[in-house]
mmCIF file of all heavy atoms in Angstrom:
data_model
loop_
_atom_site.group_PDB
_atom_site.id
_atom_site.type_symbol
_atom_site.label_atom_id
_atom_site.label_comp_id
_atom_site.label_asym_id
_atom_site.label_seq_id
_atom_site.Cartn_x
_atom_site.Cartn_y
_atom_site.Cartn_z
ATOM 1 N N ASP F 1 104.094 71.160 186.383
ATOM 2 C CA ASP F 1 103.448 70.881 187.665
ATOM 3 C C ASP F 1 102.604 72.050 188.163
ATOM 4 O O ASP F 1 101.939 71.954 189.194
ATOM 5 C CB ASP F 1 104.469 70.469 188.727
ATOM 6 C CG ASP F 1 105.473 71.570 189.050
ATOM 7 O OD1 ASP F 1 105.415 72.655 188.425
ATOM 8 O OD2 ASP F 1 106.341 71.338 189.927
ATOM 9 N N ALA F 2 102.625 73.159 187.421
ATOM 10 C CA ALA F 2 101.764 74.309 187.690
ATOM 11 C C ALA F 2 101.612 75.078 186.384
ATOM 12 O O ALA F 2 102.312 74.803 185.396
ATOM 13 C CB ALA F 2 102.368 75.200 188.775
ATOM 14 N N ASP F 3 100.702 76.038 186.356
ATOM 15 C CA ASP F 3 100.483 76.826 185.143
ATOM 16 C C ASP F 3 101.704 77.719 184.895
ATOM 17 O O ASP F 3 101.951 78.648 185.664
ATOM 18 C CB ASP F 3 99.229 77.676 185.315
ATOM 19 C CG ASP F 3 98.901 78.502 184.070
ATOM 20 O OD1 ASP F 3 99.687 78.454 183.096
ATOM 21 O OD2 ASP F 3 97.860 79.174 184.075
ATOM 22 N N PRO F 4 102.482 77.470 183.828
ATOM 23 C CA PRO F 4 103.700 78.256 183.619
ATOM 24 C C PRO F 4 103.429 79.715 183.268
ATOM 25 O O PRO F 4 104.298 80.572 183.471
ATOM 26 C CB PRO F 4 104.395 77.520 182.469
ATOM 27 C CG PRO F 4 103.301 76.801 181.761
ATOM 28 C CD PRO F 4 102.308 76.418 182.807
ATOM 29 N N SER F 5 102.243 80.013 182.757
ATOM 30 C CA SER F 5 101.936 81.398 182.435
ATOM 31 C C SER F 5 101.674 82.229 183.685
ATOM 32 O O SER F 5 101.814 83.457 183.665
ATOM 33 C CB SER F 5 100.707 81.466 181.515
ATOM 34 O OG SER F 5 99.545 80.964 182.171
ATOM 35 N N ALA F 6 101.308 81.557 184.773
ATOM 36 C CA ALA F 6 101.031 82.267 186.027
ATOM 37 C C ALA F 6 102.118 82.061 187.065
ATOM 38 O O ALA F 6 102.240 82.850 188.001
ATOM 39 C CB ALA F 6 99.680 81.798 186.593
ATOM 40 N N ASN F 7 102.915 81.016 186.895
ATOM 41 C CA ASN F 7 103.929 80.677 187.892
ATOM 42 C C ASN F 7 105.274 80.461 187.204
ATOM 43 O O ASN F 7 105.506 79.420 186.589
ATOM 44 C CB ASN F 7 103.511 79.414 188.648
ATOM 45 C CG ASN F 7 104.468 79.059 189.765
ATOM 46 O OD1 ASN F 7 105.550 79.655 189.897
ATOM 47 N ND2 ASN F 7 104.090 78.084 190.571
ATOM 48 N N PRO F 8 106.191 81.438 187.310
ATOM 49 C CA PRO F 8 107.493 81.307 186.639
ATOM 50 C C PRO F 8 108.350 80.171 187.187
ATOM 51 O O PRO F 8 109.313 79.753 186.543
ATOM 52 C CB PRO F 8 108.154 82.664 186.879
ATOM 53 C CG PRO F 8 107.474 83.218 188.081
ATOM 54 C CD PRO F 8 106.069 82.720 188.032
ATOM 55 N N ASP F 9 107.986 79.645 188.354
ATOM 56 C CA ASP F 9 108.740 78.544 188.947
ATOM 57 C C ASP F 9 108.151 77.178 188.599
ATOM 58 O O ASP F 9 108.594 76.162 189.137
ATOM 59 C CB ASP F 9 108.787 78.697 190.468
ATOM 60 C CG ASP F 9 109.535 79.949 190.901
ATOM 61 O OD1 ASP F 9 110.542 80.274 190.241
ATOM 62 O OD2 ASP F 9 109.109 80.590 191.879
ATOM 63 N N ALA F 10 107.163 77.163 187.728
ATOM 64 C CA ALA F 10 106.554 75.885 187.336
ATOM 65 C C ALA F 10 107.617 74.970 186.737
ATOM 66 O O ALA F 10 108.456 75.401 185.947
ATOM 67 C CB ALA F 10 105.434 76.131 186.330
ATOM 68 N N ARG F 11 107.559 73.709 187.102
ATOM 69 C CA ARG F 11 108.564 72.731 186.668
ATOM 70 C C ARG F 11 108.051 71.918 185.484
ATOM 71 O O ARG F 11 106.965 71.358 185.534
ATOM 72 C CB ARG F 11 108.913 71.795 187.830
ATOM 73 C CG ARG F 11 109.968 70.740 187.500
ATOM 74 C CD ARG F 11 110.313 69.928 188.739
ATOM 75 N NE ARG F 11 109.134 69.225 189.250
ATOM 76 C CZ ARG F 11 108.776 67.980 188.851
ATOM 77 N NH1 ARG F 11 109.497 67.346 187.937
ATOM 78 N NH2 ARG F 11 107.712 67.405 189.382
ATOM 79 N N HIS F 12 108.853 71.870 184.435
ATOM 80 C CA HIS F 12 108.508 71.069 183.271
ATOM 81 C C HIS F 12 108.710 69.589 183.593
ATOM 82 O O HIS F 12 109.688 69.205 184.235
ATOM 83 C CB HIS F 12 109.382 71.472 182.077
ATOM 84 C CG HIS F 12 109.084 70.702 180.829
ATOM 85 N ND1 HIS F 12 109.735 69.528 180.503
ATOM 86 C CD2 HIS F 12 108.195 70.928 179.828
ATOM 87 C CE1 HIS F 12 109.263 69.070 179.348
ATOM 88 N NE2 HIS F 12 108.333 69.898 178.931
ATOM 89 N N ILE F 13 107.782 68.756 183.151
ATOM 90 C CA ILE F 13 107.861 67.315 183.386
ATOM 91 C C ILE F 13 108.217 66.637 182.066
ATOM 92 O O ILE F 13 107.435 66.664 181.116
ATOM 93 C CB ILE F 13 106.533 66.777 183.944
ATOM 94 C CG1 ILE F 13 106.229 67.456 185.281
ATOM 95 C CG2 ILE F 13 106.580 65.260 184.106
ATOM 96 C CD1 ILE F 13 104.858 67.157 185.826
ATOM 97 N N ALA F 14 109.392 66.036 182.019
ATOM 98 C CA ALA F 14 109.896 65.473 180.759
ATOM 99 C C ALA F 14 109.358 64.083 180.484
ATOM 100 O O ALA F 14 109.207 63.708 179.304
ATOM 101 C CB ALA F 14 111.422 65.440 180.785
ATOM 102 N N HIS F 15 109.078 63.322 181.518
ATOM 103 C CA HIS F 15 108.669 61.929 181.312
ATOM 104 C C HIS F 15 107.589 61.545 182.308
ATOM 105 O O HIS F 15 107.694 61.866 183.496
ATOM 106 C CB HIS F 15 109.881 60.996 181.454
ATOM 107 C CG HIS F 15 109.575 59.564 181.138
ATOM 108 N ND1 HIS F 15 109.204 58.658 182.103
ATOM 109 C CD2 HIS F 15 109.572 58.888 179.955
ATOM 110 C CE1 HIS F 15 108.986 57.474 181.535
ATOM 111 N NE2 HIS F 15 109.215 57.594 180.232
ATOM 112 N N VAL F 16 106.557 60.884 181.830
ATOM 113 C CA VAL F 16 105.468 60.418 182.687
ATOM 114 C C VAL F 16 105.361 58.905 182.530
ATOM 115 O O VAL F 16 105.068 58.403 181.441
ATOM 116 C CB VAL F 16 104.126 61.083 182.314
ATOM 117 C CG1 VAL F 16 102.998 60.507 183.170
ATOM 118 C CG2 VAL F 16 104.209 62.594 182.475
ATOM 119 N N ALA F 17 105.621 58.190 183.614
ATOM 120 C CA ALA F 17 105.550 56.727 183.572
ATOM 121 C C ALA F 17 104.140 56.226 183.877
ATOM 122 O O ALA F 17 103.708 55.216 183.333
ATOM 123 C CB ALA F 17 106.544 56.129 184.562
ATOM 124 N N ARG F 18 103.409 56.955 184.752
ATOM 125 C CA ARG F 18 102.054 56.563 185.138
ATOM 126 C C ARG F 18 101.137 57.767 185.009
ATOM 127 O O ARG F 18 101.377 58.811 185.611
ATOM 128 C CB ARG F 18 102.010 56.039 186.581
ATOM 129 C CG ARG F 18 102.765 54.735 186.802
ATOM 130 C CD ARG F 18 102.685 54.294 188.258
ATOM 131 N NE ARG F 18 101.330 53.931 188.663
ATOM 132 C CZ ARG F 18 100.526 54.681 189.412
ATOM 133 N NH1 ARG F 18 100.927 55.872 189.852
ATOM 134 N NH2 ARG F 18 99.330 54.266 189.742
ATOM 135 N N ILE F 19 100.061 57.615 184.241
ATOM 136 C CA ILE F 19 99.137 58.722 184.003
ATOM 137 C C ILE F 19 98.514 59.207 185.307
ATOM 138 O O ILE F 19 98.328 60.413 185.519
ATOM 139 C CB ILE F 19 98.019 58.297 183.024
ATOM 140 C CG1 ILE F 19 98.618 57.765 181.722
ATOM 141 C CG2 ILE F 19 97.089 59.477 182.741
ATOM 142 C CD1 ILE F 19 99.387 58.763 180.938
ATOM 143 N N ASP F 20 98.208 58.290 186.213
ATOM 144 C CA ASP F 20 97.545 58.681 187.456
ATOM 145 C C ASP F 20 98.394 59.646 188.284
ATOM 146 O O ASP F 20 97.860 60.410 189.099
ATOM 147 C CB ASP F 20 97.221 57.445 188.298
ATOM 148 C CG ASP F 20 96.088 56.621 187.697
ATOM 149 O OD1 ASP F 20 95.347 57.163 186.853
ATOM 150 O OD2 ASP F 20 95.956 55.435 188.057
ATOM 151 N N ASP F 21 99.707 59.627 188.082
ATOM 152 C CA ASP F 21 100.577 60.513 188.845
ATOM 153 C C ASP F 21 100.426 61.980 188.450
ATOM 154 O O ASP F 21 100.829 62.873 189.205
ATOM 155 C CB ASP F 21 102.042 60.099 188.662
ATOM 156 C CG ASP F 21 102.351 58.751 189.295
ATOM 157 O OD1 ASP F 21 101.572 58.313 190.162
ATOM 158 O OD2 ASP F 21 103.365 58.134 188.909
ATOM 159 N N VAL F 22 99.885 62.234 187.257
ATOM 160 C CA VAL F 22 99.807 63.615 186.767
ATOM 161 C C VAL F 22 98.375 64.022 186.410
ATOM 162 O O VAL F 22 98.163 65.076 185.818
ATOM 163 C CB VAL F 22 100.710 63.806 185.520
ATOM 164 C CG1 VAL F 22 102.166 63.550 185.878
ATOM 165 C CG2 VAL F 22 100.280 62.896 184.374
ATOM 166 N N ALA F 23 97.414 63.201 186.771
ATOM 167 C CA ALA F 23 96.031 63.443 186.350
ATOM 168 C C ALA F 23 95.495 64.793 186.814
ATOM 169 O O ALA F 23 94.615 65.379 186.175
ATOM 170 C CB ALA F 23 95.127 62.321 186.843
ATOM 171 N N ASP F 24 96.022 65.317 187.931
ATOM 172 C CA ASP F 24 95.520 66.587 188.468
ATOM 173 C C ASP F 24 96.236 67.816 187.908
ATOM 174 O O ASP F 24 95.854 68.951 188.182
ATOM 175 C CB ASP F 24 95.647 66.603 189.990
ATOM 176 C CG ASP F 24 94.765 65.556 190.654
ATOM 177 O OD1 ASP F 24 93.730 65.208 190.056
ATOM 178 O OD2 ASP F 24 95.121 65.096 191.747
ATOM 179 N N MET F 25 97.273 67.594 187.109
ATOM 180 C CA MET F 25 98.064 68.715 186.592
ATOM 181 C C MET F 25 97.530 69.175 185.236
ATOM 182 O O MET F 25 98.214 69.124 184.225
ATOM 183 C CB MET F 25 99.528 68.308 186.435
ATOM 184 C CG MET F 25 100.184 67.875 187.721
ATOM 185 S SD MET F 25 101.891 67.379 187.433
ATOM 186 C CE MET F 25 102.312 66.641 189.010
ATOM 187 N N ALA F 26 96.308 69.636 185.209
ATOM 188 C CA ALA F 26 95.695 69.938 183.920
ATOM 189 C C ALA F 26 94.801 71.158 183.999
ATOM 190 O O ALA F 26 93.957 71.273 184.873
ATOM 191 C CB ALA F 26 94.884 68.751 183.435
ATOM 192 N N ALA F 27 95.003 72.065 183.051
ATOM 193 C CA ALA F 27 94.077 73.175 182.856
ATOM 194 C C ALA F 27 93.055 72.728 181.831
ATOM 195 O O ALA F 27 93.386 72.120 180.823
ATOM 196 C CB ALA F 27 94.815 74.411 182.351
ATOM 197 N N ALA F 28 91.790 73.017 182.070
ATOM 198 C CA ALA F 28 90.730 72.480 181.220
ATOM 199 C C ALA F 28 90.568 73.237 179.916
ATOM 200 O O ALA F 28 89.942 72.757 178.991
ATOM 201 C CB ALA F 28 89.405 72.487 181.987
ATOM 202 N N THR F 29 91.113 74.442 179.805
ATOM 203 C CA THR F 29 90.858 75.248 178.625
ATOM 204 C C THR F 29 92.082 75.359 177.741
ATOM 205 O O THR F 29 93.206 75.195 178.172
ATOM 206 C CB THR F 29 90.409 76.666 179.030
ATOM 207 O OG1 THR F 29 91.418 77.248 179.852
ATOM 208 C CG2 THR F 29 89.108 76.610 179.801
ATOM 209 N N SER F 30 91.825 75.661 176.470
ATOM 210 C CA SER F 30 92.909 75.856 175.521
ATOM 211 C C SER F 30 93.631 77.155 175.826
ATOM 212 O O SER F 30 93.008 78.184 176.092
ATOM 213 C CB SER F 30 92.329 75.913 174.094
ATOM 214 O OG SER F 30 93.283 76.375 173.174
ATOM 215 N N ALA F 31 94.953 77.120 175.787
ATOM 216 C CA ALA F 31 95.734 78.318 176.106
ATOM 217 C C ALA F 31 95.475 79.439 175.116
ATOM 218 O O ALA F 31 95.447 80.619 175.468
ATOM 219 C CB ALA F 31 97.223 77.964 176.131
ATOM 220 N N SER F 32 95.281 79.087 173.853
ATOM 221 C CA SER F 32 95.107 80.111 172.824
ATOM 222 C C SER F 32 93.687 80.648 172.768
ATOM 223 O O SER F 32 93.440 81.733 172.238
ATOM 224 C CB SER F 32 95.458 79.523 171.452
ATOM 225 O OG SER F 32 94.518 78.518 171.098
ATOM 226 N N GLY F 33 92.723 79.877 173.278
ATOM 227 C CA GLY F 33 91.322 80.252 173.137
ATOM 228 C C GLY F 33 90.774 79.925 171.767
ATOM 229 O O GLY F 33 89.591 80.111 171.505
ATOM 230 N N MET F 34 91.607 79.417 170.864
ATOM 231 C CA MET F 34 91.179 79.139 169.496
ATOM 232 C C MET F 34 90.659 77.718 169.359
ATOM 233 O O MET F 34 89.726 77.451 168.630
ATOM 234 C CB MET F 34 92.349 79.369 168.529
ATOM 235 C CG MET F 34 91.978 79.317 167.066
ATOM 236 S SD MET F 34 93.392 79.724 166.026
ATOM 237 C CE MET F 34 93.686 81.427 166.478
ATOM 238 N N GLY F 35 91.280 76.789 170.078
ATOM 239 C CA GLY F 35 90.884 75.394 169.975
ATOM 240 C C GLY F 35 89.906 75.011 171.070
ATOM 241 O O GLY F 35 89.436 75.842 171.839
ATOM 242 N N SER F 36 89.601 73.711 171.136
ATOM 243 C CA SER F 36 88.643 73.229 172.126
ATOM 244 C C SER F 36 89.304 72.394 173.202
ATOM 245 O O SER F 36 88.654 71.941 174.127
ATOM 246 C CB SER F 36 87.557 72.391 171.434
ATOM 247 O OG SER F 36 88.146 71.343 170.692
ATOM 248 N N GLY F 37 90.604 72.165 173.083
ATOM 249 C CA GLY F 37 91.297 71.306 174.034
ATOM 250 C C GLY F 37 92.031 72.091 175.095
ATOM 251 O O GLY F 37 91.918 73.294 175.229
ATOM 252 N N GLY F 38 92.832 71.408 175.861
ATOM 253 C CA GLY F 38 93.646 71.957 176.920
ATOM 254 C C GLY F 38 94.475 70.816 177.451
ATOM 255 O O GLY F 38 94.488 69.736 176.887
ATOM 256 N N MET F 39 95.171 71.029 178.566
ATOM 257 C CA MET F 39 96.002 69.955 179.084
ATOM 258 C C MET F 39 95.163 68.788 179.586
ATOM 259 O O MET F 39 95.592 67.631 179.534
ATOM 260 C CB MET F 39 96.906 70.488 180.196
ATOM 261 C CG MET F 39 98.069 69.565 180.512
ATOM 262 S SD MET F 39 99.089 69.114 179.072
ATOM 263 C CE MET F 39 99.844 70.699 178.674
ATOM 264 N N ALA F 40 93.937 69.064 180.055
ATOM 265 C CA ALA F 40 93.078 67.972 180.509
ATOM 266 C C ALA F 40 92.785 67.013 179.371
ATOM 267 O O ALA F 40 92.812 65.785 179.543
ATOM 268 C CB ALA F 40 91.783 68.532 181.083
ATOM 269 N N SER F 41 92.509 67.547 178.184
ATOM 270 C CA SER F 41 92.217 66.670 177.043
ATOM 271 C C SER F 41 93.466 65.921 176.596
ATOM 272 O O SER F 41 93.392 64.786 176.117
ATOM 273 C CB SER F 41 91.629 67.481 175.882
ATOM 274 O OG SER F 41 92.608 68.307 175.272
ATOM 275 N N LYS F 42 94.631 66.526 176.762
ATOM 276 C CA LYS F 42 95.885 65.857 176.379
ATOM 277 C C LYS F 42 96.205 64.697 177.329
ATOM 278 O O LYS F 42 96.692 63.647 176.892
ATOM 279 C CB LYS F 42 97.019 66.876 176.327
ATOM 280 C CG LYS F 42 96.890 67.852 175.164
ATOM 281 C CD LYS F 42 97.904 68.968 175.213
ATOM 282 C CE LYS F 42 97.810 69.843 173.974
ATOM 283 N NZ LYS F 42 96.465 70.402 173.739
ATOM 284 N N ILE F 43 95.946 64.884 178.609
ATOM 285 C CA ILE F 43 96.157 63.792 179.555
ATOM 286 C C ILE F 43 95.150 62.669 179.293
ATOM 287 O O ILE F 43 95.484 61.482 179.372
ATOM 288 C CB ILE F 43 96.080 64.311 180.992
ATOM 289 C CG1 ILE F 43 97.310 65.185 181.293
ATOM 290 C CG2 ILE F 43 95.990 63.160 181.990
ATOM 291 C CD1 ILE F 43 97.313 65.817 182.656
ATOM 292 N N ALA F 44 93.901 63.039 178.950
ATOM 293 C CA ALA F 44 92.919 62.014 178.588
ATOM 294 C C ALA F 44 93.380 61.243 177.351
ATOM 295 O O ALA F 44 93.228 60.027 177.270
ATOM 296 C CB ALA F 44 91.561 62.666 178.336
ATOM 297 N N ALA F 45 93.967 61.956 176.388
ATOM 298 C CA ALA F 45 94.499 61.298 175.194
ATOM 299 C C ALA F 45 95.644 60.363 175.552
ATOM 300 O O ALA F 45 95.755 59.251 175.017
ATOM 301 C CB ALA F 45 94.966 62.347 174.188
ATOM 302 N N ALA F 46 96.510 60.806 176.466
ATOM 303 C CA ALA F 46 97.632 59.964 176.891
ATOM 304 C C ALA F 46 97.140 58.685 177.553
ATOM 305 O O ALA F 46 97.729 57.612 177.362
ATOM 306 C CB ALA F 46 98.529 60.747 177.844
ATOM 307 N N ARG F 47 96.067 58.774 178.297
ATOM 308 C CA ARG F 47 95.512 57.588 178.955
ATOM 309 C C ARG F 47 95.011 56.588 177.917
ATOM 310 O O ARG F 47 95.243 55.371 178.026
ATOM 311 C CB ARG F 47 94.380 57.984 179.908
ATOM 312 C CG ARG F 47 93.912 56.855 180.804
ATOM 313 C CD ARG F 47 92.780 57.317 181.721
ATOM 314 N NE ARG F 47 93.188 58.341 182.662
ATOM 315 C CZ ARG F 47 93.812 58.100 183.803
ATOM 316 N NH1 ARG F 47 94.136 56.865 184.130
ATOM 317 N NH2 ARG F 47 94.126 59.089 184.611
#
């Protein structure tokens, strides 16, 4: 529910029943900097 690398209190979400409920919980860039995706692309894939 927040960037875990910046917020140690970020809560892991184990199950998503509706994509629209989590559409805003996405960083647009790849964490490693090596790939082209990020959480935004993963949520788009889930949709």
Side-chain angles (χ1 to χ4, degrees):
D1 63 358
D3 182 357
S5 64
N7 184 351
D9 296 322
R11 181 176 61 89
H12 181 269
I13 299 172
H15 185 267
V16 176
R18 294 179 66 256
I19 304 296
D20 288 342
D21 292 341
V22 298
D24 295 333
M25 300 179 190
T29 57
S30 168
S32 66
M34 189 176 295
S36 55
M39 197 54 68
S41 71
K42 290 172 175 56
I43 290 177
R47 190 180 296 278

